[in-house]
Amino acid sequence: MALRRTLLSTLTACATVAALTPLAHAQSGDYPNRPIKLIVPFAPGGTTDMVARLLADKMGPILGKVVVVDNKGGAGGSIGADAIAKAAPDGYTIGMATVSTHGANPALYAKLPYDAVKDFAPITNVMSVPSVFVVHPSVPAKTMKEFIALAKASPGKYTFASPGTGSLGHANIENFMHLAGIDLLHIPYKGAGQAAADALAGQVTAMTDNLPSTLANIQSGKLRPLAVLAFKRSPVLPDVPTYGELGFAAMGDGGWFGLVAPAGTPKAIIAKLNAAAHKAMAQPDYLEKQKSISGEPMANQPEQFAQQIRTAIERYTVVAKRANIRMD
């Protein structure tokens, strides 16, 4: 019996060690020992995708393993964000978090398959990219002050396009309308592409979109910029003021794009990914490409990024309640 108990104890100990081995390896200096998947919760070609691919390209050589971008778009980023949250917390699946997935969505949607705070381990914020408020050239307003005067004189006459009810673009303009004391008619579309097409055609008065997606049409004169949502003016639009300069500081500082992992990912792995991302973001060619898409550096520590996520949720919760936006 004593021998039997000894064998059972030995087997139990071995089983425990075996169960902990993957985690031990994950926390060791061996990480990473295989490719890392970076989930982008939006379709290829958008700003989130551009930031992710730029970062993945630079982080791979630093980590010694390729970082593979995996686009999982749909439901305003919720499908991809949920995939990140439910992945194994071993450092081999990470993802992009945005103001949409980790700010507006938690505030605007009654039901989300993920908790933007509890289900993620922030790694680092990466980049801030401005959004820009534009109008069709047929609108007789050269400045935001003039546009506000037009809108106040004719409530409901002027329209704004958004990628859909409950989208970040919708929430941002609802916030602006409240702050400016104007009433614009909301025209929701099924995506940013359709909204932009009708804005270019003059079917709608105004829209807001990420600056990289809109810049070519601004430069060609097809759309007129009146304000940028950013903490400072964009170098590519130096004559266009920020909302803050116009007296609307409560609009915030613009969109950001950061790295997160599933909750429970070991702190040693988070630290290694944070260091690799920061090293990647300091490379001269990365900085040049960042500048080309009007990006500003946002590198920080996990605790700071976690606070930025909480702040975004708080801001859009106020906007959602005030504008009575609540999505099922």
Side-chain angles (χ1 to χ4, degrees), residues 97-98 102-103 106 116-117 120-122 125 256 259-260 302 304-314:
T98 72
H102 285 68
V117 174
F120 299 88
N125 211 331
W256 42 251
L259 281 179
V260 293
Q304 294 170 315
F305 188 24
Q307 182 57 52
Q308 289 174 327
I309 290 171
R310 289 191 292 268
T311 298
I313 294 172
E314 290 167 4

Side-chain angles (χ1 to χ4, degrees), residues 37 46 97 126 140 151 159 175 179 216 218 305 313:
K37 180 164 64 175
V126 175
T159 56
N175 193 23
L179 296 171
I218 292 173
F305 188 24
I313 294 172

Side-chain angles (χ1 to χ4, degrees), residues 43 49 122 152 247 265 271:
D49 183 63
K152 285 185 174 181
T265 301

Side-chain angles (χ1 to χ4, degrees), residues 53-71:
R53 291 181 186 279
L54 174 58
L55 191 64
D57 182 55
K58 301 303 176 188
M59 283 183 67
I62 295 169
L63 291 166
K65 294 293 178 182
V66 65
V67 178
V68 181
V69 173
D70 182 13
N71 296 88

Side-chain angles (χ1 to χ4, degrees), residues 5-219:
R5 283 196 297 270
T6 301
L7 286 171
L8 285 172
S9 298
T10 302
L11 289 171
T12 301
C14 288
T16 302
V17 170
L20 293 175
T21 295
L23 183 58
H25 280 311
Q27 290 177 310
S28 75
D30 293 339
Y31 173 84
N33 55 32
R34 64 179 190 267
I36 297 169
K37 180 164 64 175
L38 172 56
I39 294 177
V40 175
F42 296 97
T47 307
T48 312
D49 183 63
M50 287 190 280
V51 175
R53 291 181 186 279
L54 174 58
L55 191 64
D57 182 55
K58 301 303 176 188
M59 283 183 67
I62 295 169
L63 291 166
K65 294 293 178 182
V66 65
V67 178
V68 181
V69 173
D70 182 13
N71 296 88
K72 290 185 181 296
S78 295
I79 292 174
D82 186 46
I84 301 164
K86 289 181 170 54
D90 56 8
Y92 290 100
T93 299
I94 58 177
M96 296 299 296
T98 72
V99 176
S100 292
T101 62
H102 285 68
N105 286 1
L108 301 174
Y109 283 81
K111 297 178 182 178
L112 279 181
Y114 63 91
D115 186 305
V117 174
K118 296 179 181 178
D119 291 344
F120 299 88
I123 298 170
T124 179
N125 211 331
V126 175
M127 190 184 301
S128 172
V129 176
S131 62
V132 58
F133 183 98
V134 293
V135 296
H136 189 265
S138 63
V139 177
K142 305 295 184 187
T143 66
M144 183 60 87
K145 183 178 180 180
E146 292 176 355
F147 179 75
I148 291 172
L150 287 174
K152 285 185 174 181
S154 303
K157 173 183 176 180
Y158 295 97
T159 56
F160 77 90
S162 83
T165 301
S167 65
L168 181 62
H170 178 202
N172 280 339
I173 294 192
E174 288 284 358
N175 193 23
F176 174 61
M177 287 195 294
H178 170 78
L179 296 171
I182 60 176
D183 181 19
L184 306 176
L185 179 62
H186 177 214
I187 311 295
Y189 289 82
K190 293 181 179 179
Q194 292 181 13
D198 270 12
L200 287 166
Q203 298 298 313
V204 289
T205 304
M207 68 174 289
T208 185
D209 197 5
N210 287 327
L211 181 54
S213 306
T214 316
L215 185 58
N217 291 319
I218 292 173
Q219 292 173 330

